[in-house]
Amino acid sequence: MIGNIYAISAVAIIGGGLFGFDISSMSAIISIPQYKCYFQAGPIPDDHSQCSGPDSSVQGGITAAMPGGSWLGALCSGYISDMFGRKKAIMIGSVIWWIGSTIICASQNVGMLVAGRVINGFCVGICSAQVPVYISELAPPSKRGRLVGAQQWAITWGIMIMFYISYGASFIDGTAAFRVPWGLQMIPAIGLFFAMFFLPESPRWLGRKGRWDEAHAVLTLVHGKGDPDSPFVTRELTEIREMVEFEKQNADVTYLELFKPHMINRTHIGIFTQIWSQLTGMNVMMYYITYVFLMAGVKGNANLVASSIQYVINVLMTVPALLYVDRWGRRPTLLVGAALMMTWLFANAGILASKGHWAGPTGVQNTKEASWEVTGPASKAVIACSYLFVASYAPTWGPVSWIYPVCPIAPKSTF
Protein backbone atom coordinates (compact mmCIF):
# COMPACT_ATOMS: atom_id res chain seq x y z
CA MET A 1 0.00 0.00 0.00
CA ILE A 2 1.41 3.39 -1.03
CA GLY A 3 1.75 5.89 1.82
CA ASN A 4 3.56 8.82 0.20
CA ILE A 5 1.03 11.65 -0.14
CA TYR A 6 2.66 12.97 -3.32
CA ALA A 7 2.47 9.54 -4.96
CA ILE A 8 -1.14 9.15 -3.81
CA SER A 9 -2.04 12.55 -5.27
CA ALA A 10 -0.15 11.85 -8.51
CA VAL A 11 -2.25 8.73 -9.08
CA ALA A 12 -5.57 10.23 -7.99
CA ILE A 13 -5.33 13.35 -10.17
CA ILE A 14 -5.31 11.14 -13.26
CA GLY A 15 -9.07 11.36 -12.68
CA GLY A 16 -8.75 15.07 -13.41
CA GLY A 17 -6.61 14.33 -16.43
CA LEU A 18 -9.57 12.46 -17.96
CA PHE A 19 -11.43 15.78 -18.08
CA GLY A 20 -8.55 17.25 -20.06
CA PHE A 21 -8.41 14.27 -22.40
CA ASP A 22 -12.07 14.74 -23.24
CA ILE A 23 -11.65 18.45 -24.00
CA SER A 24 -8.88 18.11 -26.57
CA SER A 25 -10.20 14.85 -28.02
CA MET A 26 -12.87 17.11 -29.48
CA SER A 27 -11.04 20.43 -29.98
CA ALA A 28 -8.24 18.89 -32.05
CA ILE A 29 -10.60 16.86 -34.20
CA ILE A 30 -13.50 19.14 -35.12
CA SER A 31 -11.41 20.91 -37.76
CA ILE A 32 -9.95 17.89 -39.61
CA PRO A 33 -11.63 16.77 -42.88
CA GLN A 34 -11.85 13.09 -41.82
CA TYR A 35 -14.17 14.04 -38.94
CA LYS A 36 -16.09 16.64 -40.93
CA CYS A 37 -16.80 14.27 -43.81
CA TYR A 38 -17.83 11.33 -41.61
CA PHE A 39 -20.31 13.44 -39.65
CA GLN A 40 -21.16 15.68 -42.60
CA ALA A 41 -24.63 17.26 -42.60
CA GLY A 42 -25.87 16.48 -46.09
CA PRO A 43 -24.09 15.01 -49.14
CA ILE A 44 -20.33 14.51 -48.94
CA PRO A 45 -18.51 16.57 -51.62
CA ASP A 46 -15.98 14.90 -53.93
CA ASP A 47 -13.29 17.19 -52.56
CA HIS A 48 -13.11 16.14 -48.90
CA SER A 49 -11.37 19.37 -47.95
CA GLN A 50 -14.72 21.08 -48.65
CA CYS A 51 -16.65 19.04 -46.07
CA SER A 52 -18.34 21.37 -43.59
CA GLY A 53 -19.05 18.79 -40.88
CA PRO A 54 -22.10 18.73 -38.61
CA ASP A 55 -24.38 21.75 -38.41
CA SER A 56 -23.42 24.31 -35.78
CA SER A 57 -26.27 23.28 -33.50
CA VAL A 58 -25.39 19.60 -33.86
CA GLN A 59 -21.71 20.25 -33.13
CA GLY A 60 -22.76 22.30 -30.12
CA GLY A 61 -24.83 19.36 -28.90
CA ILE A 62 -21.91 16.96 -29.39
CA THR A 63 -19.62 19.24 -27.41
CA ALA A 64 -22.20 19.94 -24.70
CA ALA A 65 -22.92 16.24 -24.18
CA MET A 66 -19.88 15.86 -21.96
CA PRO A 67 -20.68 18.81 -19.64
CA GLY A 68 -24.26 17.55 -19.49
CA GLY A 69 -23.08 14.15 -18.32
CA SER A 70 -20.67 15.84 -15.90
CA TRP A 71 -23.54 17.76 -14.31
CA LEU A 72 -25.40 14.51 -13.69
CA GLY A 73 -22.27 12.73 -12.48
CA ALA A 74 -21.44 15.51 -10.03
CA LEU A 75 -24.97 15.34 -8.60
CA CYS A 76 -24.64 11.59 -8.03
CA SER A 77 -21.00 11.59 -6.94
CA GLY A 78 -21.66 12.46 -3.30
CA TYR A 79 -24.08 9.58 -2.83
CA ILE A 80 -21.73 7.15 -4.59
CA SER A 81 -18.77 8.35 -2.55
CA ASP A 82 -20.58 8.24 0.80
CA MET A 83 -21.87 4.76 0.03
CA PHE A 84 -18.78 3.07 -1.41
CA GLY A 85 -15.92 5.33 -0.30
CA ARG A 86 -13.79 7.94 -2.05
CA LYS A 87 -11.40 5.36 -3.48
CA LYS A 88 -14.09 3.13 -4.96
CA ALA A 89 -16.00 6.12 -6.33
CA ILE A 90 -12.94 7.07 -8.39
CA MET A 91 -12.59 3.46 -9.54
CA ILE A 92 -16.26 3.38 -10.56
CA GLY A 93 -15.66 6.56 -12.54
CA SER A 94 -12.76 4.87 -14.33
CA VAL A 95 -14.93 1.94 -15.41
CA ILE A 96 -17.60 4.34 -16.67
CA TRP A 97 -14.91 6.10 -18.71
CA TRP A 98 -13.97 2.78 -20.37
CA ILE A 99 -17.59 2.28 -21.41
CA GLY A 100 -18.01 5.82 -22.72
CA SER A 101 -14.71 5.79 -24.63
CA THR A 102 -15.57 2.45 -26.24
CA ILE A 103 -18.87 3.85 -27.52
CA ILE A 104 -17.21 7.07 -28.73
CA CYS A 105 -14.46 5.15 -30.52
CA ALA A 106 -17.01 2.93 -32.26
CA SER A 107 -19.41 5.80 -33.12
CA GLN A 108 -21.34 5.20 -36.33
CA ASN A 109 -23.43 8.37 -36.14
CA VAL A 110 -23.94 11.55 -34.13
CA GLY A 111 -26.37 9.90 -31.70
CA MET A 112 -23.83 7.26 -30.74
CA LEU A 113 -21.13 9.91 -30.32
CA VAL A 114 -23.37 12.02 -28.09
CA ALA A 115 -24.31 8.99 -25.97
CA GLY A 116 -20.65 8.09 -25.45
CA ARG A 117 -19.75 11.65 -24.50
CA VAL A 118 -22.61 11.81 -21.98
CA ILE A 119 -21.29 8.61 -20.36
CA ASN A 120 -17.74 9.99 -20.33
CA GLY A 121 -19.11 13.17 -18.81
CA PHE A 122 -20.71 11.15 -16.02
CA CYS A 123 -17.23 9.84 -15.19
CA VAL A 124 -15.77 13.35 -15.27
CA GLY A 125 -18.50 14.54 -12.88
CA ILE A 126 -17.68 11.79 -10.38
CA CYS A 127 -13.90 12.09 -10.58
CA SER A 128 -13.69 15.88 -10.69
CA ALA A 129 -15.86 16.06 -7.56
CA GLN A 130 -14.29 13.22 -5.59
CA VAL A 131 -10.58 13.44 -6.41
CA PRO A 132 -10.22 16.79 -4.56
CA VAL A 133 -12.19 15.36 -1.61
CA TYR A 134 -10.04 12.23 -1.53
CA ILE A 135 -6.80 14.21 -1.60
CA SER A 136 -7.95 16.81 0.95
CA GLU A 137 -8.97 14.07 3.41
CA LEU A 138 -5.55 12.43 3.17
CA ALA A 139 -3.23 15.43 2.81
CA PRO A 140 -1.82 17.38 5.78
CA PRO A 141 -3.16 20.96 6.05
CA SER A 142 0.18 22.49 5.06
CA LYS A 143 0.12 20.72 1.67
CA ARG A 144 -3.61 20.50 1.04
CA GLY A 145 -4.03 23.55 -1.20
CA ARG A 146 -1.09 22.65 -3.40
CA LEU A 147 -2.07 19.00 -3.79
CA VAL A 148 -5.75 19.67 -4.47
CA GLY A 149 -4.75 22.38 -6.95
CA ALA A 150 -2.70 19.75 -8.78
CA GLN A 151 -6.08 18.49 -10.03
CA GLN A 152 -6.13 21.46 -12.41
CA TRP A 153 -2.55 20.77 -13.49
CA ALA A 154 -3.57 17.21 -14.37
CA ILE A 155 -6.42 18.60 -16.46
CA THR A 156 -3.98 20.82 -18.39
CA TRP A 157 -1.63 17.88 -18.97
CA GLY A 158 -4.53 15.78 -20.19
CA ILE A 159 -5.57 18.51 -22.62
CA MET A 160 -2.06 18.94 -24.00
CA ILE A 161 -1.20 15.23 -24.30
CA MET A 162 -4.48 14.35 -26.00
CA PHE A 163 -4.21 17.30 -28.38
CA TYR A 164 -0.81 16.16 -29.64
CA ILE A 165 -2.04 12.57 -29.95
CA SER A 166 -4.99 13.83 -31.99
CA TYR A 167 -2.69 16.04 -34.04
CA GLY A 168 -0.51 13.07 -34.89
CA ALA A 169 -3.54 10.95 -35.75
CA SER A 170 -4.87 13.68 -38.06
CA PHE A 171 -2.33 12.54 -40.68
CA ILE A 172 -3.99 9.09 -40.84
CA ASP A 173 -6.40 8.58 -43.73
CA GLY A 174 -10.00 7.60 -43.01
CA THR A 175 -11.92 7.38 -39.77
CA ALA A 176 -8.88 6.10 -37.85
CA ALA A 177 -7.83 9.77 -37.68
CA PHE A 178 -10.37 10.31 -34.92
CA ARG A 179 -11.05 6.76 -33.74
CA VAL A 180 -7.43 6.18 -32.69
CA PRO A 181 -7.26 9.10 -30.23
CA TRP A 182 -10.79 8.38 -28.99
CA GLY A 183 -9.72 4.81 -28.27
CA LEU A 184 -6.36 5.73 -26.71
CA GLN A 185 -8.06 7.94 -24.14
CA MET A 186 -9.10 4.76 -22.33
CA ILE A 187 -5.50 4.02 -21.33
CA PRO A 188 -5.16 6.50 -18.42
CA ALA A 189 -8.47 5.33 -16.96
CA ILE A 190 -7.29 1.72 -17.07
CA GLY A 191 -4.08 2.76 -15.31
CA LEU A 192 -6.02 4.77 -12.73
CA PHE A 193 -8.36 1.87 -11.94
CA PHE A 194 -5.58 -0.62 -11.22
CA ALA A 195 -3.31 1.91 -9.47
CA MET A 196 -6.12 2.76 -7.03
CA PHE A 197 -5.85 -0.77 -5.60
CA PHE A 198 -2.52 0.30 -4.10
CA LEU A 199 -3.84 3.50 -2.48
CA PRO A 200 -5.45 3.76 0.97
CA GLU A 201 -9.05 4.76 1.60
CA SER A 202 -9.87 8.14 3.09
CA PRO A 203 -9.47 7.93 6.90
CA ARG A 204 -12.38 10.33 7.34
CA TRP A 205 -14.70 8.09 5.36
CA LEU A 206 -13.48 5.07 7.34
CA GLY A 207 -14.17 6.97 10.57
CA ARG A 208 -17.70 7.79 9.45
CA LYS A 209 -18.27 4.08 8.92
CA GLY A 210 -16.93 3.23 12.38
CA ARG A 211 -13.82 1.51 11.00
CA TRP A 212 -11.47 3.23 13.41
CA ASP A 213 -8.67 0.67 13.32
CA GLU A 214 -8.42 1.02 9.55
CA ALA A 215 -8.56 4.82 9.81
CA HIS A 216 -5.73 4.74 12.36
CA ALA A 217 -3.70 2.42 10.12
CA VAL A 218 -4.12 4.77 7.11
CA LEU A 219 -3.04 7.81 9.14
CA THR A 220 -0.02 5.87 10.41
CA LEU A 221 0.88 4.86 6.86
CA VAL A 222 0.51 8.31 5.32
CA HIS A 223 1.57 10.61 8.16
CA GLY A 224 3.14 8.56 10.93
CA LYS A 225 6.01 6.92 9.04
CA GLY A 226 5.04 3.66 10.72
CA ASP A 227 4.60 5.17 14.20
CA PRO A 228 0.96 4.77 15.31
CA ASP A 229 1.61 7.04 18.30
CA SER A 230 2.96 9.93 16.22
CA PRO A 231 1.63 13.28 17.58
CA PHE A 232 0.29 14.22 14.14
CA VAL A 233 -1.52 10.88 13.77
CA THR A 234 -3.03 11.21 17.23
CA ARG A 235 -4.14 14.77 16.53
CA GLU A 236 -5.69 13.88 13.17
CA LEU A 237 -7.49 10.87 14.60
CA THR A 238 -8.89 12.98 17.43
CA GLU A 239 -10.04 15.60 14.94
CA ILE A 240 -11.79 12.96 12.83
CA ARG A 241 -13.52 11.54 15.92
CA GLU A 242 -14.74 15.02 16.85
CA MET A 243 -15.96 15.61 13.32
CA VAL A 244 -17.86 12.30 13.22
CA GLU A 245 -19.42 13.04 16.59
CA PHE A 246 -20.39 16.52 15.42
CA GLU A 247 -22.03 15.06 12.31
CA LYS A 248 -23.99 12.58 14.44
CA GLN A 249 -25.27 15.41 16.59
CA ASN A 250 -26.33 17.25 13.44
CA ALA A 251 -27.72 14.23 11.62
CA ASP A 252 -30.98 16.07 11.03
CA VAL A 253 -29.22 18.66 8.83
CA THR A 254 -30.53 18.54 5.24
CA TYR A 255 -29.50 20.20 2.01
CA LEU A 256 -32.01 22.95 2.77
CA GLU A 257 -29.58 24.06 5.47
CA LEU A 258 -27.31 25.28 2.67
CA PHE A 259 -29.91 27.88 1.67
CA LYS A 260 -30.61 29.30 5.10
CA PRO A 261 -29.38 32.84 5.90
CA HIS A 262 -26.31 31.74 7.87
CA MET A 263 -25.11 29.46 5.04
CA ILE A 264 -26.39 31.05 1.83
CA ASN A 265 -23.25 33.12 1.28
CA ARG A 266 -21.00 30.08 1.58
CA THR A 267 -23.29 28.11 -0.71
CA HIS A 268 -23.21 30.92 -3.25
CA ILE A 269 -19.40 31.03 -3.16
CA GLY A 270 -19.02 27.26 -3.36
CA ILE A 271 -21.32 26.91 -6.36
CA PHE A 272 -20.50 30.07 -8.26
CA THR A 273 -16.73 29.81 -7.96
CA GLN A 274 -17.01 26.70 -10.13
CA ILE A 275 -19.71 28.20 -12.35
CA TRP A 276 -17.72 31.35 -13.05
CA SER A 277 -14.62 29.28 -13.67
CA GLN A 278 -16.49 27.78 -16.62
CA LEU A 279 -18.18 31.03 -17.68
CA THR A 280 -14.88 32.90 -17.98
CA GLY A 281 -14.80 31.62 -21.55
CA MET A 282 -11.94 29.20 -20.99
CA ASN A 283 -13.86 26.16 -22.19
CA VAL A 284 -14.81 28.00 -25.37
CA MET A 285 -11.14 28.77 -25.97
CA MET A 286 -10.23 25.14 -25.24
CA TYR A 287 -12.88 23.51 -27.43
CA TYR A 288 -13.07 26.00 -30.29
CA ILE A 289 -9.61 27.58 -30.49
CA THR A 290 -9.17 26.10 -33.97
CA TYR A 291 -12.18 28.16 -35.13
CA VAL A 292 -10.75 31.32 -33.55
CA PHE A 293 -7.40 30.83 -35.25
CA LEU A 294 -9.11 29.97 -38.54
CA MET A 295 -10.85 33.35 -38.36
CA ALA A 296 -7.41 34.88 -37.73
CA GLY A 297 -6.11 33.39 -40.97
CA VAL A 298 -4.24 30.37 -39.55
CA LYS A 299 -5.28 27.45 -41.76
CA GLY A 300 -4.59 23.77 -42.31
CA ASN A 301 -1.79 22.08 -40.39
CA ALA A 302 -0.54 25.43 -39.08
CA ASN A 303 -3.87 25.90 -37.31
CA LEU A 304 -3.42 22.78 -35.19
CA VAL A 305 0.20 23.65 -34.40
CA ALA A 306 -0.69 27.20 -33.38
CA SER A 307 -3.63 25.94 -31.32
CA SER A 308 -1.38 23.51 -29.48
CA ILE A 309 0.77 26.35 -28.16
CA GLN A 310 -2.01 27.53 -25.88
CA TYR A 311 -2.17 24.08 -24.28
CA VAL A 312 1.55 24.25 -23.53
CA ILE A 313 1.01 27.71 -22.01
CA ASN A 314 -1.84 26.28 -19.95
CA VAL A 315 0.42 23.57 -18.47
CA LEU A 316 3.35 25.86 -17.72
CA MET A 317 1.37 28.76 -16.27
CA THR A 318 -0.48 26.51 -13.82
CA VAL A 319 2.79 25.74 -12.01
CA PRO A 320 3.21 29.17 -10.31
CA ALA A 321 -0.20 28.80 -8.68
CA LEU A 322 0.70 25.39 -7.26
CA LEU A 323 3.87 26.85 -5.76
CA TYR A 324 2.65 30.22 -4.52
CA VAL A 325 -1.16 30.26 -4.19
CA ASP A 326 -0.93 29.73 -0.42
CA ARG A 327 1.16 32.91 -0.25
CA TRP A 328 -0.90 34.94 -2.70
CA GLY A 329 -4.24 34.11 -1.14
CA ARG A 330 -7.28 32.75 -2.95
CA ARG A 331 -9.41 35.89 -3.33
CA PRO A 332 -6.70 38.27 -4.66
CA THR A 333 -5.69 35.60 -7.17
CA LEU A 334 -9.26 35.30 -8.46
CA LEU A 335 -9.65 39.09 -8.71
CA VAL A 336 -6.42 39.57 -10.65
CA GLY A 337 -7.23 36.67 -12.95
CA ALA A 338 -10.72 37.99 -13.71
CA ALA A 339 -9.38 41.48 -14.52
CA LEU A 340 -6.72 40.13 -16.87
CA MET A 341 -9.07 37.75 -18.68
CA MET A 342 -11.60 40.55 -19.13
CA THR A 343 -8.88 42.71 -20.70
CA TRP A 344 -7.84 40.12 -23.29
CA LEU A 345 -11.40 39.16 -24.23
CA PHE A 346 -12.42 42.81 -24.69
CA ALA A 347 -9.29 43.35 -26.78
CA ASN A 348 -10.15 40.39 -29.00
CA ALA A 349 -13.74 41.54 -29.41
CA GLY A 350 -12.61 45.08 -30.29
CA ILE A 351 -10.05 43.89 -32.82
CA LEU A 352 -12.49 41.54 -34.53
CA ALA A 353 -15.21 44.20 -34.63
CA SER A 354 -13.03 47.01 -35.94
CA LYS A 355 -10.59 45.17 -38.20
CA GLY A 356 -12.53 42.09 -39.27
CA HIS A 357 -15.32 41.41 -41.74
CA TRP A 358 -18.02 38.83 -42.42
CA ALA A 359 -16.58 35.72 -44.07
CA GLY A 360 -19.67 35.00 -46.17
CA PRO A 361 -22.41 32.37 -45.88
CA THR A 362 -19.99 29.43 -45.96
CA GLY A 363 -17.49 30.88 -43.48
CA VAL A 364 -13.71 30.64 -43.67
CA GLN A 365 -12.63 27.55 -45.62
CA ASN A 366 -16.21 26.28 -45.78
CA THR A 367 -16.44 26.31 -41.97
CA LYS A 368 -19.65 28.14 -41.12
CA GLU A 369 -18.67 28.43 -37.46
CA ALA A 370 -15.72 30.62 -38.54
CA SER A 371 -18.11 33.33 -39.69
CA TRP A 372 -15.77 36.30 -39.22
CA GLU A 373 -12.36 36.94 -40.73
CA VAL A 374 -9.47 39.19 -39.80
CA THR A 375 -6.14 39.52 -41.61
CA GLY A 376 -2.80 41.28 -41.33
CA PRO A 377 -1.36 42.57 -38.04
CA ALA A 378 -4.81 42.49 -36.44
CA SER A 379 -4.93 38.70 -36.85
CA LYS A 380 -1.64 38.38 -34.96
CA ALA A 381 -3.10 40.51 -32.17
CA VAL A 382 -6.09 38.15 -31.91
CA ILE A 383 -3.75 35.19 -31.59
CA ALA A 384 -1.61 36.98 -28.98
CA CYS A 385 -4.65 37.99 -26.90
CA SER A 386 -5.92 34.41 -27.04
CA TYR A 387 -2.61 33.14 -25.66
CA LEU A 388 -2.58 35.85 -22.97
CA PHE A 389 -6.13 34.93 -21.96
CA VAL A 390 -5.06 31.33 -21.35
CA ALA A 391 -1.93 32.51 -19.52
CA SER A 392 -4.16 34.59 -17.22
CA TYR A 393 -6.62 31.79 -16.48
CA ALA A 394 -4.06 29.06 -15.83
CA PRO A 395 -2.51 30.43 -12.58
CA THR A 396 -5.73 31.96 -11.24
CA TRP A 397 -9.25 30.66 -11.81
CA GLY A 398 -8.05 27.28 -13.06
CA PRO A 399 -6.53 25.87 -9.85
CA VAL A 400 -8.06 28.23 -7.28
CA SER A 401 -11.63 27.26 -8.17
CA TRP A 402 -10.82 23.76 -6.86
CA ILE A 403 -9.33 24.84 -3.54
CA TYR A 404 -11.36 27.85 -2.41
CA PRO A 405 -12.58 26.74 1.07
CA VAL A 406 -16.20 27.48 1.89
CA CYS A 407 -18.03 24.65 3.64
CA PRO A 408 -17.71 23.71 7.32
CA ILE A 409 -20.94 21.72 7.79
CA ALA A 410 -22.28 20.28 4.56
CA PRO A 411 -20.85 16.91 3.47
CA LYS A 412 -17.66 17.63 1.55
CA SER A 413 -18.21 14.69 -0.76
CA THR A 414 -21.37 16.31 -2.08
CA PHE A 415 -20.42 19.97 -1.92
Side-chain angles (χ1 to χ4, degrees), residues 103-261:
I103 295 173
I104 291 171
C105 182
S107 294
Q108 301 299 306
N109 49 51
V110 169
M112 196 171 173
L113 178 58
V114 168
R117 284 181 58 77
V118 169
I119 294 170
N120 267 12
F122 195 83
C123 159
V124 169
I126 293 173
C127 290
S128 63
Q130 295 311 312
V131 168
V133 173
Y134 176 69
I135 294 174
S136 66
E137 292 184 347
L138 277 166
S142 61
K143 300 175 182 177
R144 197 166 290 156
R146 185 184 310 161
L147 292 174
V148 173
Q151 160 99 343
Q152 178 63 24
W153 201 37
I155 293 173
T156 65
W157 273 103
I159 295 171
M160 185 181 73
I161 291 170
M162 190 61 185
F163 190 92
Y164 280 114
I165 290 173
S166 300
Y167 171 68
S170 69
F171 294 98
I172 302 173
D173 292 330
T175 62
F178 54 84
R179 296 195 192 279
V180 167
W182 285 351
L184 289 176
Q185 68 181 349
M186 280 188 282
I187 294 175
I190 294 171
L192 175 63
F193 177 83
F194 288 106
M196 289 300 294
F197 281 107
F198 301 98
L199 302 189
E201 181 55 88
S202 160
R204 293 178 180 263
W205 182 82
L206 291 169
R208 288 190 180 102
K209 300 300 180 182
R211 295 158 62 177
W212 292 108
D213 289 341
E214 293 177 62
H216 192 186
V218 169
L219 290 171
T220 301
L221 173 69
V222 178
H223 303 297
K225 297 180 179 179
D227 180 9
D229 299 318
S230 162
F232 186 87
V233 170
T234 302
R235 187 166 62 251
E236 280 288 299
L237 191 62
T238 300
E239 181 183 318
I240 293 172
R241 288 185 186 276
E242 291 173 353
M243 178 202 66
V244 171
E245 185 60 32
F246 177 79
E247 289 181 351
K248 287 180 180 178
Q249 293 172 1
N250 293 273
D252 58 338
V253 172
T254 67
Y255 286 106
L256 294 177
E257 190 77 20
L258 296 173
F259 299 96
K260 291 184 178 179

Side-chain angles (χ1 to χ4, degrees), residues 46-395:
D46 293 332
D47 183 358
H48 284 190
S49 66
Q50 297 301 309
C51 289
S52 58
D55 291 336
S56 298
S57 57
V58 174
Q59 182 57 57
I62 293 170
T63 304
M66 193 281 289
S70 298
W71 174 81
L72 183 60
L75 284 180
C76 299
S77 67
Y79 298 102
I80 295 171
S81 179
D82 287 341
M83 185 180 300
F84 299 107
R86 319 302 190 223
K87 176 178 169 179
K88 288 182 180 176
I90 296 170
M91 295 173 76
I92 290 170
S94 301
V95 174
I96 293 172
W97 182 268
W98 303 352
I99 298 169
S101 296
T102 301
I103 295 173
I104 291 171
C105 182
S107 294
Q108 301 299 306
N109 49 51
V110 169
M112 196 171 173
L113 178 58
V114 168
R117 284 181 58 77
V118 169
I119 294 170
N120 267 12
F122 195 83
C123 159
V124 169
I126 293 173
C127 290
S128 63
Q130 295 311 312
V131 168
V133 173
Y134 176 69
I135 294 174
S136 66
E137 292 184 347
L138 277 166
S142 61
K143 300 175 182 177
R144 197 166 290 156
R146 185 184 310 161
L147 292 174
V148 173
Q151 160 99 343
Q152 178 63 24
W153 201 37
I155 293 173
T156 65
W157 273 103
I159 295 171
M160 185 181 73
I161 291 170
M162 190 61 185
F163 190 92
Y164 280 114
I165 290 173
S166 300
Y167 171 68
S170 69
F171 294 98
I172 302 173
D173 292 330
T175 62
F178 54 84
R179 296 195 192 279
V180 167
W182 285 351
L184 289 176
Q185 68 181 349
M186 280 188 282
I187 294 175
I190 294 171
L192 175 63
F193 177 83
F194 288 106
M196 289 300 294
F197 281 107
F198 301 98
L199 302 189
E201 181 55 88
S202 160
R204 293 178 180 263
W205 182 82
L206 291 169
R208 288 190 180 102
K209 300 300 180 182
R211 295 158 62 177
W212 292 108
D213 289 341
E214 293 177 62
H216 192 186
V218 169
L219 290 171
T220 301
L221 173 69
V222 178
H223 303 297
K225 297 180 179 179
D227 180 9
D229 299 318
S230 162
F232 186 87
V233 170
T234 302
R235 187 166 62 251
E236 280 288 299
L237 191 62
T238 300
E239 181 183 318
I240 293 172
R241 288 185 186 276
E242 291 173 353
M243 178 202 66
V244 171
E245 185 60 32
F246 177 79
E247 289 181 351
K248 287 180 180 178
Q249 293 172 1
N250 293 273
D252 58 338
V253 172
T254 67
Y255 286 106
L256 294 177
E257 190 77 20
L258 296 173
F259 299 96
K260 291 184 178 179
H262 70 287
M263 280 295 294
I264 188 65
N265 191 46
R266 290 178 180 272
T267 302
H268 174 270
I269 294 171
I271 293 174
F272 278 89
T273 300
Q274 282 290 335
I275 288 177
W276 285 113
S277 177
Q278 305 305 310
L279 293 181
T280 57
M282 184 60 170
N283 275 352
V284 174
M285 297 301 284
M286 289 288 107
Y287 278 114
Y288 300 121
I289 189 64
T290 52
Y291 291 163
V292 175
F293 283 6
L294 189 58
M295 291 190 287
V298 185
K299 301 172 182 176
N301 182 58
N303 188 318
L304 290 176
V305 174
S307 299
S308 72
I309 294 173
Q310 77 158 5
Y311 300 121
V312 176
I313 293 172
N314 199 18
V315 170
L316 296 177
M317 290 302 294
T318 302
V319 176
L322 301 180
L323 297 176
Y324 301 114
V325 70
D326 290 329
R327 299 182 190 177
W328 296 342
R330 275 58 160 167
R331 188 168 177 269
T333 303
L334 293 176
L335 289 171
V336 170
L340 289 173
M341 287 187 289
M342 176 188 70
T343 301
W344 308 128
L345 287 180
F346 268 116
N348 257 354
I351 293 166
L352 288 168
S354 60
K355 301 295 183 180
H357 58 85
W358 185 48
T362 60
V364 181
Q365 282 199 323
N366 208 37
T367 303
K368 292 181 180 179
E369 293 78 12
S371 59
W372 205 256
E373 189 170 18
V374 62
T375 57
S379 67
K380 294 180 175 60
V382 168
I383 294 170
C385 287
S386 299
Y387 288 153
L388 289 168
F389 172 82
V390 173
S392 300
Y393 176 90

